[in-house]
Amino acid sequence: MHERTRRAVARMMFVFGCALPTALTFLVVLTSYTPWYAHYRRVAIETALSTRIGLTVSIDAVEFPAPATIRLTGLRLCDPETLDEVARVRVATWVRTDQKSAIRLSQPELQSSRLPLVWRVVHERFLCQPDLTLTPVRFAADDLTIHSRSGPATLRDVDAWLRPDDARVEAVIQCVPAARRDDAPIHVTVTRDRGGDLPTTQWTLHTGDLSLPCSALADYLPALRQLGPDALFTGTLRWRLSDGGWAIDLGGSRFDSVDLSDLLQNVPHRLT
């Protein structure tokens, strides 16, 4: 090969094998720091989450602090029809690996009146889809606040585990009311069983010796509003849901500080 030809080939190899890839890499890195790319990435994540959970999702900022880690700041979930706020989270951090996922929520807030919509999202778009519950998931939340007409109720040390099995998936939630001084938690267990002829969902609420204010769920279950603003629930409640209907077991439950004026307001002979 002629000397001039060898030099031309060497220059081409340098350009296409070194200079051009380096320039493209530099351009990609530089582009990833531009505001328009950050906006494009945030909108893409908002669209993907909205499609997955069925709520309108908006995010103030998206960060990737480490590999397989995503941090969402200013997360808001709204009803897609009315655009009323369902929930908001100051910061949500999601770490995902092949074996499990971990999600931490900082200062989440829920609207009690939108709890039926939240339940439908969790149940129909998550628990009822086996492909979304193949790996264990761990949730943790700091100071979960539930807003209702009777005022806010705050729960601290909220922990949840999603444990998949062959024919069932189980979600376990533990939390402690903020006003409680000790660390004895409230337990909520939700089980989706696909082993029978018809899939069934059963959830159990066990408060132990804790008293749970009924006002926190009054907007979700209007019947609780008739117990009065100071009514308290203690004990165990079981709810079984299937395609054939639903049933509630209140065995072992106790209601205290019930306002008889509100409870019997539609009865001809009222008691106080």
Side-chain angles (χ1 to χ4, degrees), residues 212-265:
L212 185 65
C214 298
S215 60
L217 300 178
D219 292 342
Y220 176 39
L221 298 173
L224 296 179
R225 198 175 301 151
Q226 294 182 262
L227 301 179
D230 300 322
L232 301 172
F233 170 82
T234 307
T236 302
L237 180 149
R238 295 180 179 86
W239 177 30
R240 183 180 179 85
L241 176 67
S242 66
D243 293 342
W246 56 271
I248 294 180
D249 181 5
L250 292 174
S253 302
R254 187 175 77 247
F255 292 91
D256 299 313
S257 302
V258 176
D259 190 332
L260 293 180
S261 300
D262 293 339
L263 181 63
L264 304 176
Q265 62 180 342

Side-chain angles (χ1 to χ4, degrees), residues 27-236:
L27 181 62
V28 169
V29 172
L30 186 63
T31 303
S32 64
Y33 285 93
T34 58
W36 69 265
Y37 180 77
H39 173 75
Y40 165 78
R41 186 170 55 182
R42 177 176 57 81
V43 171
I45 294 176
E46 289 176 344
T47 302
L49 290 177
S50 299
T51 303
R52 172 58 65 185
I53 66 178
L55 299 176
T56 300
V57 179
S58 62
I59 305 169
D60 290 340
V62 178
E63 301 175 44
F64 296 87
T69 302
I70 181 173
R71 181 184 296 141
L72 308 178
T73 303
L75 175 65
R76 291 179 299 277
L77 307 178
C78 298
D79 188 320
E81 185 174 9
T82 64
L83 297 182
D84 292 335
E85 183 179 291
V86 176
R88 66 168 56 202
V89 182
R90 188 175 67 86
V91 179
T93 305
W94 180 19
V95 181
R96 184 173 184 178
T97 63
D98 294 337
Q99 292 77 23
K100 62 180 180 179
S101 297
I103 300 174
R104 186 169 190 85
L105 307 178
S106 177
Q107 298 178 356
E109 301 178 39
L110 281 174
Q111 300 297 327
S112 177
S113 60
R114 297 297 173 179
L115 284 177
L117 179 58
V118 174
W119 167 248
R120 288 199 301 270
V121 168
V122 173
H123 184 258
E124 297 174 9
R125 291 183 172 264
F126 196 66
L127 294 179
C128 294
Q129 298 192 36
D131 59 320
L132 299 181
T133 56
L134 296 177
T135 58
V137 181
R138 171 77 181 273
F139 295 87
D142 302 324
D143 298 333
L144 169 62
T145 302
I146 302 176
H147 296 280
S148 66
R149 296 180 183 177
S150 303
T154 302
L155 303 174
R156 59 180 175 86
D157 300 334
V158 180
D159 284 310
W161 298 266
L162 183 69
R163 300 164 179 167
D165 203 346
D166 292 338
R168 57 182 286 172
V169 58
E170 182 181 68
V172 180
I173 306 170
Q174 296 182 358
C175 56
V176 181
R180 185 80 176 191
R181 294 185 177 181
D182 57 31
D183 295 329
I186 296 172
H187 294 267
V188 180
T189 303
V190 182
T191 304
R192 180 66 175 177
D193 190 352
R194 310 181 185 96
D197 296 335
L198 294 175
T200 60
T201 301
Q202 178 172 312
W203 69 271
T204 303
L205 169 64
H206 180 67
T207 67
D209 61 347
L210 291 174
S211 295
L212 185 65
C214 298
S215 60
L217 300 178
D219 292 342
Y220 176 39
L221 298 173
L224 296 179
R225 198 175 301 151
Q226 294 182 262
L227 301 179
D230 300 322
L232 301 172
F233 170 82
T234 307
T236 302

